[in-house]
């Protein structure tokens, strides 16, 4: 286990939806900023890593557990901890707790370092992760097996300038937004995610036409998703749903 870093956060109006719950992609994006704040506090910023090694951090996988989503104006605490790392991957958790200290969400995240010039995954230098006091291990944490969808219901989106992050490709949270956005208003005001497994396969660039496809199993209240560009899969997810208010 590594060093923990926490900040308080009050859910603002503009990050909530029609149900008064936080928009999950926004909370995901802000949580990543919290890990950046920890890096800054340790003198080990993304800029430092890039300047010395030419490497940038990328997220490859999420496993998201949701007891409930925070609501408008609610005060929560976001805590992050670098758990462990191996030759290629770094594992970091994000814990969301309410004012009573009860954990209501957990993001299990897998990071890797990408060479900015070659766009290929690089080995993790020990000195880059040393400040976080994470354990080094040979163990690989594996997510679920994803399958290509046979007859997905698809929605077309075009990547805009404001979908991009500082690395020049689509921001991580945007993929999840595209996956959730395929459902209609009636569904999204009745159901909320209980668990999400999300895997990033390839980055997406400005101007791309992406197809957000899904298949839904009403009996199990689960959906499978894929983001495709030119017929190639760029991200996949499995979402388990529950009725809003079911805790």
């Amino acid at each position: 286990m590594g060093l923990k870093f926490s900040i308080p956060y009050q859910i603002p109006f503009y990050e909530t939806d029609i149900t008064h719950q936080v928009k999950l992609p926004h909370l995901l994006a802000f949580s990543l900023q919290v890990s950046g704040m920890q890096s800054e506090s340790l003198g080990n910023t993304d800029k430092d890593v890039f300047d010395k090694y030419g490497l940038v951090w990328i997220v490859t996988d999420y496993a998201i557990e949701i007891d409930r989503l925070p609501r408008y104006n609610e005060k929560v605490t976001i805590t992050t901890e670098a758990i462990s790392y191996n030759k290629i991957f770094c594992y970091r958790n994000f814990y969301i707790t309410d004012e009573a200290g009860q954990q209501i969400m957990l993001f299990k995240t897998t990071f890797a370092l990408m060479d900015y010039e070659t766009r290929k995954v690089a080995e993790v230098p020990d000195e880059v992760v040393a400040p976080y006091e994470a354990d080094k291990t040979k163990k690989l944490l594996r997510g679920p097996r994803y399958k290509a969808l046979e007859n997905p219901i698809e929605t077309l989106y075009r990547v805009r300038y404001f979908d991009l992050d500082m690395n020049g490709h689509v921001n991580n949270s945007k993929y999840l937004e595209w996956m959730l956005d395929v459902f209609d208003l009636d569904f999204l005001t009745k159901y909320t995610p209980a668990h999400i497994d999300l895997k990033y396969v390839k980055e997406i660039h400005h101007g791309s036409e992406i197809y957000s496809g899904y298949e839904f199993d009403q009996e199990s209240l689960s959906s499978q998703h894929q983001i495709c560009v030119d017929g190639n899969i760029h991200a996949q997810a499995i979402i388990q749903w529950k009725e809003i208010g079911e805790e």
Side-chain angles (χ1 to χ4, degrees):
M1 300 296 182
L3 292 177
K4 290 185 176 181
F5 179 87
S6 301
I7 68 159
Y9 187 61
Q10 188 167 9
I11 307 300
F13 171 80
Y14 58 84
E15 286 188 2
T16 55
D17 62 18
I18 195 172
T19 69
H20 297 188
Q21 296 181 125
V22 72
K23 297 174 183 176
L24 182 55
H26 288 233
L27 188 59
L28 207 62
F30 185 76
S31 295
L32 288 181
Q33 183 176 329
V34 174
S35 65
M37 295 166 69
Q38 181 186 34
S39 295
E40 185 174 351
S41 74
L42 296 171
N44 192 43
T45 67
D46 292 354
K47 184 177 185 303
D48 294 327
V49 174
F50 178 77
D51 288 346
K52 187 171 182 179
Y53 301 97
L55 302 176
V56 294
W57 287 106
I58 58 171
V59 176
T60 65
D61 297 84
Y62 279 113
I64 302 172
E65 300 174 10
I66 305 168
D67 290 327
R68 68 172 182 84
L69 291 170
R71 299 179 63 83
Y72 165 61
N73 216 33
E74 183 175 358
K75 295 177 181 178
V76 298
T77 298
I78 302 174
T79 300
T80 187
E81 178 184 18
I83 301 298
S84 63
Y85 74 103
N86 53 48
K87 186 177 180 180
I88 299 296
F89 298 111
C90 299
Y91 305 108
R92 175 181 284 274
N93 286 355
F94 297 86
Y95 314 95
I96 314 296
T97 54
D98 61 18
E99 284 192 276
Q102 180 71 32
Q103 181 176 299
I104 58 175
M105 302 179 71
L106 169 62
F107 305 156
K108 297 180 180 179
T109 311
T110 303
F111 286 81
L113 283 165
M114 181 182 73
D115 186 294
Y116 186 79
E117 295 297 328
T118 66
R119 315 305 282 184
K120 294 181 179 180
V121 172
E123 290 190 18
V124 178
D126 290 339
E127 57 270 26
V128 169
V129 295
Y132 308 100
E133 300 183 13
D135 298 329
K136 188 172 185 179
T137 178
K138 293 182 179 180
K139 185 178 180 180
L140 289 173
L141 301 182
R142 302 186 185 277
R145 290 187 176 183
Y146 300 89
K147 66 176 184 178
L149 305 185
E150 295 180 1
N151 297 294
I153 301 170
E154 293 186 317
T155 302
L156 172 64
Y157 299 89
R158 184 181 296 276
V159 178
R160 309 166 304 163
Y161 174 83
F162 293 104
D163 297 329
L164 308 178
D165 61 20
M166 292 190 299
N167 293 328
H169 54 66
V170 172
N171 185 270
N172 290 328
S173 64
K174 194 66 187 179
Y175 292 77
L176 181 57
E177 184 178 318
W178 286 328
M179 290 171 174
L180 298 175
D181 189 57
V182 297
F183 295 100
D184 61 26
L185 181 67
D186 288 343
F187 182 88
L188 292 174
T189 53
K190 183 177 180 180
Y191 296 101
T192 187
H195 184 91
I196 301 174
D197 288 300
L198 174 58
K199 180 179 182 63
Y200 299 100
V201 181
K202 299 178 183 178
E203 57 187 340
I204 300 176
H205 300 282
H206 178 257
S208 297
E209 289 188 343
I210 75 102
Y211 286 86
S212 178
Y214 77 101
E215 294 176 353
F216 183 74
D217 185 333
Q218 180 65 48
E219 184 175 349
S220 63
L221 276 182
S222 64
S223 56
Q224 298 191 60
H225 300 258
Q226 62 189 27
I227 300 293
C228 293
V229 178
D230 296 328
N232 298 309
I233 294 176
H234 285 245
Q236 296 170 287
I238 301 171
I239 303 178
Q240 183 65 49
W241 298 86
K242 63 180 178 181
E243 287 196 37
I244 291 177
E246 180 185 320
E247 300 173 7

